[in-house]
Amino acid sequence: MDSGQISGEKKKSPPIKVLSSQLREGKDSRLNGKLEFNIKRLGQLKNTALVVSVVWMQGTILEVRSDHNTVLLLDETGTFVVNGVNNIPKGNPCLLQGNYVMVMGMIQALSPEPVLRAVKMADLSERAAIHRKMWKLEVEDLQQTLT
């Protein structure tokens, strides 16, 4: 059996923690018909690009668009848009301006600002101060650990 296959299904990569600025500065590429994105790693140890398609991001909700299916978020490096929040479990309860949330999603676009299609969303507002403070360190640590 091919190492990229598990019981007939292609192995999916886990979400990679990223900042919005990394996506904004990234480049898109197609590999075997799959759209992927090359981003610069955070940190000094490894300077090779990371290839991502599914990401984990965190930020504060700046705006819930009138369709209630799209939100504008802000992390420490800029804004990003998340579409499809009505299609995920527990997405709606955390859709309040000012909430600090975690989003996992598929990248749809890099510029002028990153756009994700939500897969999972969770409210982190209860401990927002610690989550905000630790986020960039978590992103850098993970990116330096990945091969």
Side-chain angles (χ1 to χ4, degrees):
M1 181 192 309
D2 179 3
S3 63
Q5 302 252 340
I6 297 176
S7 63
E9 291 183 19
K10 287 201 180 233
K11 194 169 144 184
K12 294 182 181 174
S13 358
I16 305 297
K17 296 177 181 182
V18 300
L19 300 175
S20 64
S21 61
Q22 290 179 282
L23 295 182
R24 208 172 289 104
E25 297 162 4
K27 306 268 186 271
D28 59 347
S29 64
R30 283 207 181 269
L31 184 61
N32 299 325
K34 182 181 177 189
L35 185 59
E36 296 182 317
F37 303 88
N38 294 302
I39 63 168
K40 183 179 176 193
R41 291 177 196 256
L42 284 186
Q44 301 299 316
L45 298 178
K46 291 182 182 175
N47 61 5
T48 56
L50 272 176
V51 178
V52 298
S53 58
V54 181
V55 295
W56 171 340
M57 298 177 76
Q58 291 182 189
T60 303
I61 297 176
L62 294 180
E63 177 187 352
V64 178
R65 305 259 165 95
S66 60
D67 64 0
H68 291 281
N69 198 34
T70 303
V71 293
L72 177 67
L73 287 98
L74 174 71
D75 70 9
E76 65 184 79
T77 65
T79 58
F80 60 102
V81 173
V82 180
N83 293 320
V85 294
N86 285 333
N87 302 327
I88 54 172
K90 299 184 182 178
N92 256 341
C94 56
L95 292 183
L96 297 172
Q97 187 174 354
N99 276 8
Y100 189 77
V101 296
M102 172 277 286
V103 177
M104 287 186 205
M106 304 284 297
I107 302 169
Q108 292 183 310
L110 297 180
S111 65
E113 64 189 354
V115 178
L116 306 181
R117 182 176 45 81
V119 173
K120 180 178 181 179
M121 189 173 207
D123 189 359
L124 303 177
S125 299
E126 191 173 307
R127 295 203 166 126
I130 190 74
H131 288 297
R132 238 184 233 107
K133 190 180 278 188
M134 296 300 296
W135 182 240
K136 188 172 182 181
L137 298 172
E138 288 180 40
V139 172
E140 183 176 336
D141 183 57
L142 174 71
Q143 291 182 9
Q144 290 297 310
T145 303
L146 294 172
T147 55

